[in-house]
Amino acid sequence: VRELVEMSRERARQTVEHAAERLVGLPCPVDAVVRAGHPIESLERFAADVGLDLLVVGPRGRGSIGSILLGSVSHALLHALPTSILVARPPTSTPTRVLLAVDGSPSSLEAARYLATFPLPVDADIRVLVSVTSGTDEYAAIRGANFLELLAGERRCAAEIANRAIAVLEEHGRHAMPLIRDGDPKREILDAARELDADLIVTGARGAG
């Protein structure tokens, strides 16, 4: 058993050192760290120890570290870590087409603030998506004499939500365009990302919708 543990540690050490080599040249220190234990618990402790601002992972891979974003484990990771999480899917490149999904909640506005400071190209195409759905608090107070009037009210509300996020981006010199869609947020986010060929999707971890 001890030999297996040592072999696992050595493989882990080689993996992190290889990753660290690819980060040489960044204007910040790069450390290779190996910890034992369940991936989520280890990441949670590490995040607390160093005051982590951003966790970057791949969507899948070999071993426990590569699978932390699969199935129900992804939900545990999002709830366990009080930090932003970037899931990088190959092929990776500098994001130039970005989809920011917001629902008017404080969490989604925090996502807008985070994106505003993210190192994107000056000419990055940013779309702010709002999915019109009556299932959120933002739309609960909307009333209409008929369906068309109700729909118009929901559209106005969605535009206001998008404009609040756009204002946050513009404060940091970022230009963005609103994208209003009708339907389930999860489906609309995925559909819009495919249609726009988005490089990056940004959204808050928690919100009203």
Side-chain angles (χ1 to χ4, degrees):
V1 175
R2 180 176 299 178
E3 291 182 358
L4 290 176
V5 171
E6 290 301 321
M7 288 175 60
S8 296
R9 283 184 177 275
E10 178 60 21
R11 285 197 299 268
R13 184 189 63 78
Q14 293 176 2
T15 298
V16 296
E17 288 183 351
H18 176 67
E21 290 173 358
R22 303 188 66 175
L23 300 176
V24 171
L26 289 179
C28 61
V30 178
D31 298 318
V33 179
V34 175
R35 293 201 173 188
H38 190 279
I40 292 178
E41 294 174 354
S42 296
L43 285 170
E44 187 176 9
R45 289 194 299 269
F46 181 76
D49 291 344
V50 303
L52 201 65
D53 297 312
L54 177 66
L55 171 67
V56 182
V57 296
R60 59 177 63 84
R62 292 174 294 182
S64 298
I65 292 295
S67 62
I68 57 177
L69 285 178
L70 298 179
S72 61
V73 179
S74 62
H75 296 283
L77 180 63
L78 288 170
H79 286 290
L81 297 182
T83 185
S84 298
I85 300 175
L86 172 61
V87 183
R89 294 180 178 275
T92 55
S93 61
T94 302
T96 58
R97 296 176 299 279
V98 181
L99 182 65
L100 170 63
V102 297
D103 60 6
S105 66
S107 179
S108 67
L109 288 179
E110 281 302 314
R113 293 187 185 96
Y114 190 87
L115 178 61
T117 62
F118 203 78
L120 296 173
V122 177
D123 59 348
D125 180 4
I126 303 175
R127 306 295 177 94
V128 178
L129 170 68
V130 180
S131 297
V132 177
T133 170
S134 57
T136 67
D137 294 339
E138 290 281 346
Y139 300 97
I142 297 176
R143 298 290 183 269
N146 54 52
F147 175 76
L148 292 179
E149 187 176 322
L150 177 62
L151 182 60
E154 291 177 339
R155 284 286 190 174
R156 286 193 299 270
C157 182
E160 292 172 0
I161 292 172
N163 288 336
R164 288 201 293 270
I166 290 173
V168 171
L169 294 169
E170 290 180 343
E171 289 175 1
H172 293 78
R174 296 290 185 188
H175 178 68
M177 296 289 293
L179 179 60
I180 311 300
R181 299 178 68 121
D182 299 279
D184 175 71
K186 289 180 289 186
R187 186 186 68 244
E188 296 305 325
I189 290 171
L190 293 175
D191 288 348
R194 294 188 186 99
E195 293 168 12
L196 298 171
D197 194 21
D199 304 303
L200 177 65
I201 301 173
V202 180
T203 187
R206 298 176 180 86

